Amino acid sequence: MPRMKINLIEYFEETFPRVQEKIAVVEGERTITFAELANRAKQLANTILSTQDFINQPIALYLPKSIESVYADLAITYSGNIYMNLDIKTPLTRIQNIVELIRPKVLITNSKLIDQLGTVIDHRITIINIDDLHFENEVDHTSFLLNRLSSALIDTDPYCIINTSGSTGTPKGVVLNHRSFFDFMARSQEIFNFSDHEIMGSLSPIVFDIYSFELCMMMAKSTTLVLIPDLLSAFPVSILKILQEQKVSFIFWVPTIMVNIANLDLLTKIELPDLKLVWFAGEVFPTKQFNCWRNGLPHITFANLYGPIEITLDCTFYVVKRELRDDEPIPIGCAYKNTGILILNEENQPVEKGEEGELCVRGTSLAMGYYNNPEKTAAAFVQNPLNDSYPEIIYRTGDVVFVNPLGEIVFKGRKDTLIKHMGYRIELGEIEHVIVNTLKIAKNGCVVYHYAKKEITLFYENENEIDTASFRKILAQTLPKYMIPAIFIRLDELQRNTNGKIDRLFYTNQING
């Protein structure tokens, strides 16, 4: 019987000795082998522990997506701690909010970025400049590191923290544990039968859970990760050429870039004979553009995955095997094995067949909650209303779904102000909070989302029109680019409902018809 694993780095410990000279990561012209990656990760882990011996504590990473970010995340895992990747393109005020909430023990960065962090990082946080480290050849700290892990950790200990938008202006830190990733990897292997020779086109930012999955694929299946620079998002031809040149066999992308590729009809111009499997998740993929992919690449298996960040990684999947009309939504399919899906009505009862309800999730895949945020955790992770016999936590997604006549779950929309835009989960209330309370740009605001055009729209209440370019420039000091509205509409007074609150539904209906 195989020995039960308790820490994801054990995947890597089994894998890299078999494939030491194989390329683990490709970053432009740079590459690193599995042996080199392991050596650097272990030495950095030792450096982390030399600052102070601690375990199960958050360690922040403030680096671009790179070979360095890969071995740094592995190093944090080797050290028995929790990695939290930060987005270097995010305004520093937001980074400061995250750091103040999570309070990491250590922050890892480089010479280029270290100076700008001086004003936002608490002096009690130890900073490691990765450029100051001198990696020696074939230094092995394996016994010390693994003995420490096996004696101190269990599989429900945290693996990573992923920050997501919060309505008060401070992101929430979602805590995911080792066991949930083990479970997702095992179930995915059963369904998709990954080989040990996959080459994965890594496009997601390092702050996405998709990136965490890519690390697991590298550790568990000796997958080569081809890092695709963020700046190439505006150059889809270049992205496809990288897939072609590197013989990429598997991608897991957010649909936004895939829509652009379809609209430019690039799949008829650039052949991708090595690509065999395409996963997409994070937002709705318009079926018309999806059909361009399916018709252009008929040899590929396509799968639509669904799951909020509070689920590791996704809780439902749909392998597309039938023809889908351009006006028919792509189903999110059925639950992953070992995942319980509940569709509940307003009375917290299971919906009737074909009836819409809120999708709720139970099982190993659930996140542990929000770091240092018990109130938000208690509101989202609740007792299963169908079970009053023993404690059983479910996560309420806020997503409205129904089951079609074929037995497939279909996503309908959101119950609240949470949206998925460009793959990022955004609380519209956070944008309003920043505009009205933090920056005080306008007297009142109502942010809504145009689902067809994928645009964030701001209706704001103010005496005078505010220049749109100036509005965007001010917001860019606090909000990341993907959260800045595309459309700004001034009104003398915002519509209120009967209880005096801004009527969000009125404006949502106004732009979505």
Side-chain angles (χ1 to χ4, degrees):
M1 180 181 293
R3 185 176 65 85
M4 187 183 77
K5 295 179 177 63
I6 61 170
N7 186 289
L8 288 163
I9 208 69
E10 294 176 55
Y11 272 150
F12 194 56
E13 278 294 307
E14 288 182 355
T15 297
F16 88 82
R18 295 187 287 103
V19 292
Q20 294 199 42
E21 298 310 310
K22 182 180 179 182
I23 298 299
V25 186
V26 178
E27 181 197 349
E29 299 299 316
R30 302 172 67 208
T31 63
I32 189 169
T33 66
F34 276 86
E36 293 168 328
L37 196 66
N39 191 50
R40 292 197 171 204
K42 291 173 186 179
Q43 290 190 59
L44 179 52
N46 202 50
T47 300
I48 292 169
L49 296 176
S50 69
T51 67
Q52 183 184 346
D53 192 348
F54 53 86
I55 205 155
N56 268 337
Q57 296 296 315
I59 296 179
L61 190 71
Y62 192 69
L63 288 172
K65 185 177 176 181
S66 58
I67 288 173
E68 286 72 22
S69 71
V70 172
Y71 69 69
D73 282 334
L74 295 186
I76 295 167
T77 308
Y78 266 118
S79 76
N81 290 292
I82 315 160
Y83 73 75
M84 178 180 71
N85 293 332
L86 298 171
D87 187 348
I88 64 170
K89 299 188 298 298
T90 291
L92 287 176
T93 52
R94 188 176 174 86
I95 296 294
Q96 186 172 20
N97 287 342
I98 293 171
V99 169
E100 287 177 353
L101 173 67
I102 305 298
R103 300 195 294 273
K105 288 277 190 182
V106 173
L107 185 143
I108 301 171
T109 187
N110 63 19
S111 299
K112 185 176 180 182
L113 298 169
I114 196 168
D115 288 340
Q116 67 188 50
L117 288 171
T119 58
V120 300
I121 298 302
D122 190 300
H123 70 277
R124 291 169 293 186
I125 298 173
T126 300
I127 296 181
I128 295 176
N129 183 345
I130 208 164
D131 292 334
D132 289 345
L133 303 183
H134 301 286
F135 295 102
E136 302 172 37
N137 293 327
E138 299 180 8
V139 174
D140 192 0
H141 302 286
T142 300
S143 297
F144 164 69
L145 293 170
L146 295 187
N147 288 340
R148 186 171 170 277
L149 296 181
S150 64
S151 63
L153 293 183
I154 59 175
D155 63 354
T156 52
D157 282 329
Y159 169 56
C160 63
I161 295 173
I162 297 178
N163 291 292
T164 186
S165 179
S167 59
T168 60
T170 298
K172 295 175 290 190
V174 180
V175 186
L176 303 175
N177 66 27
H178 292 268
R179 181 190 289 179
S180 62
F181 277 92
F182 282 131
D183 191 67
F184 182 80
M185 293 294 290
R187 304 310 164 206
S188 298
Q189 180 64 28
E190 289 176 9
I191 300 163
F192 296 98
N193 193 28
F194 301 116
S195 77
D196 291 333
H197 308 290
E198 305 293 349
I199 300 176
M200 198 164 183
S202 174
L203 185 61
S204 292
I206 64 172
V207 295
F208 277 27
D209 55 354
I210 292 177
Y211 175 78
S212 295
F213 168 72
E214 291 167 346
L215 292 183
C216 287
M217 283 291 290
M218 183 192 69
M219 289 190 287
K221 302 298 296 181
S222 66
T223 297
T224 296
L225 299 186
V226 177
L227 305 185
I228 301 171
D230 293 344
L231 59 87
L232 287 188
S233 294
F235 305 97
V237 171
S238 298
I239 293 176
L240 293 184
K241 285 184 176 177
I242 289 174
L243 300 189
Q244 186 183 64
E245 291 165 3
Q246 296 294 335
K247 301 185 183 301
V248 167
S249 62
F250 175 29
I251 59 174
F252 185 8
W253 287 359
V254 169
T256 300
I257 185 65
M258 300 175 73
V259 170
N260 292 341
I261 288 169
N263 288 339
L264 293 170
D265 194 30
L266 297 180
L267 298 172
T268 62
K269 301 166 186 173
I270 299 174
E271 294 185 356
L272 300 172
D274 299 289
L275 189 60
K276 298 295 186 293
L277 177 62
V278 172
W279 285 7
F280 50 93
E283 62 189 11
V284 173
F285 194 166
T287 311
K288 180 179 179 181
Q289 281 78 10
F290 166 73
N291 282 333
C292 292
W293 275 78
R294 195 172 184 218
N295 295 332
L297 301 169
H299 63 286
I300 288 177
T301 298
F302 291 92
N304 184 19
L305 276 68
Y306 160 86
I309 192 63
E310 288 82 357
I311 311 297
T312 310
L313 251 279
D314 294 288
C315 54
T316 73
F317 72 100
Y318 180 71
V319 179
V320 183
K321 294 181 178 178
R322 63 180 177 87
E323 294 298 318
L324 295 166
R325 303 187 313 274
D326 285 355
D327 61 350
E328 178 183 3
I330 305 171
I332 60 174
C334 62
Y336 256 83
K337 190 176 178 181
N338 199 36
T339 298
I341 296 295
L342 310 175
I343 304 175
L344 304 179
N345 60 23
E346 293 294 331
E347 287 72 44
N348 280 329
Q349 293 300 308
V351 297
E352 300 293 332
K353 191 171 183 179
E355 184 184 358
E356 295 177 3
E358 181 182 8
L359 189 149
C360 303
V361 188
R362 66 188 186 96
T364 301
S365 64
L366 293 194
M368 302 171 73
Y370 304 116
Y371 201 85
N372 282 340
N373 203 332
E375 289 184 5
K376 289 288 177 65
T377 298
F381 296 85
V382 301
Q383 173 65 25
N384 182 354
L386 305 181
N387 177 7
D388 57 8
S389 301
Y390 54 85
E392 182 186 31
I393 298 299
I394 65 170
Y395 174 70
R396 305 196 73 119
T397 68
D399 288 336
V400 177
V401 301
F402 67 93
V403 178
N404 68 17
L406 296 175
E408 303 158 345
I409 302 172
V410 180
F411 174 80
K412 183 74 174 180
R414 287 291 306 167
K415 281 184 69 175
D416 50 25
T417 63
L418 192 65
I419 64 165
K420 283 282 189 71
H421 177 62
M422 298 176 66
Y424 293 89
R425 201 177 73 157
I426 299 169
E427 285 272 11
L428 298 180
E430 179 179 358
I431 305 173
E432 295 168 355
H433 181 85
V434 166
I435 290 168
V436 177
N437 299 314
T438 305
L439 299 177
K440 298 180 170 52
I441 307 173
K443 294 167 72 173
N444 270 305
C446 180
V447 179
V448 294
Y449 193 59
H450 195 302
Y451 286 91
K453 293 184 178 179
K454 296 188 180 299
E455 288 178 341
I456 298 174
T457 299
L458 167 67
F459 293 88
Y460 67 96
E461 186 178 300
N462 215 50
E463 295 174 358
N464 303 310
E465 189 96 22
I466 302 171
D467 176 66
T468 297
S470 300
F471 213 139
R472 288 199 178 103
K473 187 175 181 180
I474 296 169
L475 288 178
Q477 298 170 14
T478 302
L479 294 175
K481 185 177 179 181
Y482 60 83
M483 291 180 70
I484 296 175
I487 307 296
F488 295 78
I489 300 172
R490 189 201 71 84
L491 298 169
D492 290 329
E493 188 173 359
L494 289 171
Q495 178 94 6
R496 263 64 170 184
N497 52 31
T498 52
N499 61 11
K501 293 183 178 180
I502 293 170
D503 194 342
R504 185 183 305 279
L505 183 60
F506 172 82
Y507 293 108
T508 300
N509 291 338
Q510 195 171 71
I511 66 166
N512 286 286

